[in-house]
Amino acid sequence: MKKHSTLGEFIINNQKDFQGSTGELSRLINAIRLAAKVVNHEVNKAGLVDILGAAGETNIQGEEQQKLDVYANDIFMQTLTNRQIVCGIASEEEDDFVVIKGNNGKNDNKYILLMDPLDGSSNVDVNVSVGTIFSIYERVTPTGEPVTQDDFLQKGDKQVAAGYVVYGTSTMLVYTTGKGVNGFTLNPAIGTFYLSHPNMEFPKKGNIYSINEANYVHFPQGVKDYLKYIQNQVEKGHKYTSRYIGSLVSDFHRNMIKGGIYIYPTSTRAPKGKLRLLYECNPMAFLAEQANGLATDGYQRILDIQPTELHQRVPFFCGSSSMVTTIKELMSAYPEDADY
Ligand code: P6P
């Protein structure tokens, strides 16, 4: 029986595939591995200590920050800073990007990281899975020079790595460096991630659709047409099921394994959609395409969108290629909805 490799062994064995293979990206993934274990420990005991409930502050999104949001943000920031691997970090929990200087006071490191440290955190109080999402680029400004917003406003196509941690019934780290998607499951007894899901791929077609149908009356017509299409398919005897748990990472992860589509469209309540391009849609889109899936804003490829601001939102349609293609075709009948 082949012994599952650990994440550490996997990184070493695939070092040659990493950009530049100078070991920095390996060290970066290793830093994320450590932070994931620390956050996992806290998430798993959240119900036991007084860490639930809002920290009383609100982030730039105007959302109440759950204490675990703040905690997860601090852990990832500290771990990445201490290891001196990135020269800058952007986070959903930080109003602006944070410059990370080396011990020599310079910005010598070549990578920048963007993250949503605890996506779906409102689920913590009701014991539903949450996740961390991360996205990694090489900086575009010269090494040693100050980091600028240009380093963060890169198209998703330029990512060198992306992934998520899902703190679910088990804790998994799923990531890509552009050579496919691999999933590692944490053995909490010994704190080791094992390669449990090699070469993850979206089934070309699935029967799961994930959308908050409470907003139906506010959806663009193309999305309404897609939901009507599904109902017609069910009437013809085709099997579909609605699964939406309010945690992007968990819905994405299940859909990647079983086949499905996740949809967060524009609505009158969210005129540009809800999900953030830089640290939610781009990393999940990179993973989706690496897993033979698709990710679009309804009209264009997510990874082709030129970002204009750190916390910008876009509509997000992501998952099995045949399902994304179908909804895109229906949306194309309403070109006016492309200008969100
Ligand atoms: P709604 C969590 O806040 C999140 O960003 C995603 O993880 C999740 O899929 C979505 O928002 C849920 O949003 O408006 O349906 O509650």
Side-chain angles (χ1 to χ4, degrees), residues 119-120 212 215 244 246-248 251 262 264 274-276 280:
D119 180 70
N212 186 341
N215 300 322
Y244 187 74
S247 178
L248 165 62
D251 282 321
Y262 174 97
Y264 207 107
K274 176 183 182 183
L275 302 184
R276 293 80 169 181
E280 289 177 327

Side-chain angles (χ1 to χ4, degrees), residues 284-300:
M284 301 311 270
F286 187 23
L287 287 161
E289 292 196 359
Q290 285 291 312
N292 288 337
L294 291 174
T296 172
D297 68 354
Y299 297 92
Q300 62 182 311

